[in-house]
Amino acid sequence: MNMFDVVQTIFNFFSMLYIHRFMTAFFDSVEKRNIKYLWLLYFVYPLFTSAIYFEANYPIINLAANIIALFVISLQYRIGLGQRIIAVGLTFFCMVSIESACVAATNYLGASAFQTGTYKNIVGLVVCNLIIFAVSLIIHNFKNMKKNILMPKSYWLAIIGIPSISIISILIILHSGKINQLQAIIVICAFLMINGFIFYLYDALVSSYNLKIQSTLLAEEKEYYYNQCQYMQQSEHEMNSFRHDVRNQLDMIYELLKNESKSGINEYAERLERNLDSSSVYSKTGNIELDSILNLKLSQAKQKGIQISCESDIPCDLQLNASDLMVILGNLLDNSITAAEKVKENPFIKVGVSYSKGMLFISIENAYFGKIIEINGHLLTTKNNKEHHGYGLSNVRKVLEAYHGIMEFEHTKNIFRVDAALYCKPSEV
């Protein structure tokens, strides 16, 4: 086994890192069939490609072995055949394109895909694999950006800088002529391990940082909505007391005016009562938390000129944390109001809340104008400063998951609808 074959084997194992990056980028939100088998396949990949390389070192056979191995790995992701073929094809295309460029750059343009051992340039091999690694990182991070995951600028510098420095360092060492074959192999392995560990640790830090941000925002949001709920409960009680007092006063007025001919006062009293009945009370289920948030948010929407329709019918007491309900309804209604107020003609919001067989159902439909950005079932924020926005629906999903619930979206050209369902039982008396 010569030095090129050893380096080729090393990079076959290193390829697990960028193959995993490519697969994660294309299949990030896809359910995995069996995580243990998946990791086993990632480990088998370099063993399989190395065995093919040593048994039949023909470029065309190696290419076929790679695409077969990639397709087998993709089978552990639950996704349609068409999407699977596209993902595997794009991954393979990126790898082959970079390899072809490196072959051309190292003056191997005449190499035949049907002849054995036609490529033996270690420099090209090192450069090729580290460039593929960098490309896989870039694609993976663009995927994270589309999901509103905060990516520091230093991470982008690291993606370009670390592989580039590794390439330059390895080339300088290899061309120095002062090290033997074993030392060269150790140097290459050391740089590859450094690349792998640095990006693994950096990924862990970025992931931890984003989880901390989301957890902090969720906690602050819960506290905000809980305080808002307390305020709304107090306002609701005060309003009910006010209505009760006014109705008593009207009863007294009617009694005093029964035998009088002051029709103007009667008409005024009737008009006053109609105004009280038509005040902005959209939900009267008796569930204070639900009624409070619906009445407050929908009143705000009404003040913005949005037409309101609301149907709500749930038990007074449910085993549902008040702050959790505030997060769900608060975020969904805020998004609905924000979208509807941008519509110039006939803006509307329709809300439906019902309870059946241990499940709470929430549906909100609204008019909207503009573009909806959706990737793999996830809606992306269209607000500026994306690093500080886009967590609302994520927090709603987290709360729903705690109640084994789900959330789905559907939209036409100018109507958007969100449906949520979660399990919760009536409180025991």
Side-chain angles (χ1 to χ4, degrees):
M1 182 184 294
N2 57 41
M3 184 173 177
F4 181 86
D5 292 337
V6 174
V7 175
Q8 176 68 61
T9 303
I10 293 171
F11 276 109
N12 282 344
F13 281 89
F14 181 72
S15 66
M16 287 190 298
L17 294 178
Y18 56 73
I19 293 298
H20 178 255
R21 293 279 180 172
F22 279 119
M23 291 295 179
T24 302
F26 289 118
F27 301 133
D28 184 37
S29 302
V30 178
E31 181 185 357
K32 302 171 183 63
R33 297 182 187 276
N34 189 309
I35 191 67
K36 292 182 179 179
Y37 288 158
L38 179 60
W39 284 111
L40 178 62
L41 287 174
Y42 278 122
F43 184 74
V44 169
Y45 174 84
L47 297 176
F48 174 69
T49 53
S50 296
I52 295 296
Y53 172 78
F54 286 111
E55 289 298 323
N57 188 13
Y58 290 91
I60 190 66
I61 296 178
N62 291 331
L63 291 174
N66 270 276
I67 197 166
I68 290 171
L70 290 174
F71 189 81
V72 171
I73 291 174
S74 74
L75 292 175
Q76 284 301 313
Y77 297 90
R78 297 183 184 277
I79 197 169
L81 179 61
Q83 290 176 287
R84 190 188 312 281
I85 291 174
I86 291 173
V88 171
L90 289 175
T91 301
F92 186 71
F93 175 77
C94 287
M95 294 168 60
V96 171
S97 297
I98 295 170
E99 288 178 1
S100 300
C102 290
V103 168
T106 50
N107 297 320
Y108 275 82
L109 285 174
S112 173
F114 300 94
Q115 293 181 4
T116 182
T118 54
Y119 189 78
K120 293 291 183 179
N121 190 298
I122 294 177
V123 172
L125 186 62
V126 171
V127 173
C128 171
N129 279 272
L130 287 176
I131 290 177
I132 294 175
F133 180 55
V135 170
S136 71
L137 293 173
I138 291 171
I139 293 175
H140 183 265
N141 289 329
F142 271 118
K143 185 79 171 183
N144 285 339
M145 288 178 62
K146 289 185 177 180
K147 292 168 58 184
N148 294 318
I149 295 178
L150 181 63
M151 301 305 299
K153 292 181 180 178
S154 58
Y155 192 86
W156 291 102
L157 294 174
I159 288 175
I160 304 299
I162 293 176
S164 299
I165 293 172
S166 299
I167 291 173
I168 295 171
S169 301
I170 292 174
L171 293 181
I172 291 173
I173 293 171
L174 291 179
H175 283 283
S176 67
K178 297 180 181 180
I179 61 173
N180 57 37
Q181 179 175 330
L182 178 60
Q183 290 172 331
I185 292 172
I186 292 174
V187 168
I188 292 172
C189 289
F191 274 101
L192 296 183
M193 290 178 66
I194 290 171
N195 274 263
F197 280 123
I198 286 177
F199 283 105
Y200 172 78
L201 292 174
Y202 212 105
D203 277 352
L205 288 174
V206 171
S207 177
S208 175
Y209 179 66
N210 277 283
L211 286 174
K212 184 178 180 180
I213 290 177
Q214 294 186 36
S215 297
T216 301
L217 289 173
L218 179 58
E220 291 177 351
E221 192 171 48
K222 280 190 173 185
E223 182 178 1
Y224 163 74
Y225 280 128
Y226 180 76
N227 292 335
Q228 189 179 51
C229 180
Q230 295 293 318
Y231 170 76
M232 289 185 295
Q233 287 183 24
Q234 181 180 355
S235 299
E236 189 78 15
H237 286 304
E238 291 176 354
M239 181 59 71
N240 288 334
S241 176
F242 171 74
R243 290 194 187 95
H244 182 266
D245 291 342
V246 171
R247 289 184 189 279
N248 287 337
Q249 293 179 26
L250 288 176
D251 289 339
M252 292 180 63
I253 292 174
Y254 283 135
E255 287 295 328
L256 291 173
L257 298 177
K258 270 184 180 179
N259 300 318
E260 301 286 339
S261 60
K262 298 179 180 180
S263 59
I265 297 179
N266 282 326
E267 290 177 3
Y268 171 78
E270 290 174 0
R271 185 166 64 254
L272 178 60
E273 186 169 20
R274 284 196 300 270
N275 291 336
L276 286 172
D277 289 335
S278 62
S279 60
S280 299
V281 178
Y282 300 99
S283 180
K284 298 180 181 179
T285 65
N287 185 298
I288 298 296
E289 293 83 3
L290 177 75
D291 292 342
S292 297
I293 189 67
L294 285 180
N295 290 330
L296 176 72
K297 292 296 182 183
L298 295 180
S299 295
Q300 292 175 351
K302 186 70 174 179
Q303 292 173 3
K304 296 176 182 291
I306 301 172
Q307 299 176 19
I308 304 299
S309 173
C310 178
E311 294 183 4
S312 55
D313 183 15
I314 68 169
C316 296
D317 297 314
L318 289 175
Q319 293 180 7
L320 180 62
N321 188 285
S323 58
D324 289 338
L325 184 60
M326 295 302 105
V327 170
I328 297 171
L329 280 175
N331 275 298
L332 296 182
L333 286 170
D334 283 343
N335 290 344
S336 182
I337 293 170
T338 300
E341 68 178 335
K342 295 178 181 178
V343 178
K344 295 181 179 180
E345 295 184 5
N346 300 321
F348 72 88
I349 295 176
K350 294 181 180 179
V351 179
V353 183
S354 60
Y355 183 84
S356 176
K357 298 180 180 179
M359 291 194 71
L360 179 66
F361 299 94
I362 300 171
S363 68
I364 300 176
E365 185 176 294
N366 61 269
Y368 79 93
F369 175 80
K371 183 180 180 181
I372 292 178
I373 305 174
E374 182 177 1
I375 297 179
N376 294 328
H378 293 271
L379 296 181
L380 305 184
T381 180
T382 56
K383 299 177 182 177
N384 295 327
N385 299 323
K386 287 182 168 54
E387 66 272 16
H388 297 118
H389 296 288
Y391 293 105
L393 290 180
S394 176
N395 289 339
V396 172
R397 285 193 178 90
K398 285 185 178 180
V399 173
L400 289 174
E401 287 173 2
Y403 294 89
H404 307 289
I406 59 172
M407 178 170 59
E408 295 181 347
F409 307 98
E410 60 181 76
H411 55 87
T412 61
K413 186 177 181 180
N414 52 15
I415 297 177
F416 181 87
R417 178 185 174 98
V418 57
D419 291 287
L422 60 152
Y423 289 94
C424 57
K425 296 180 180 178
S427 299
E428 298 180 0
V429 181

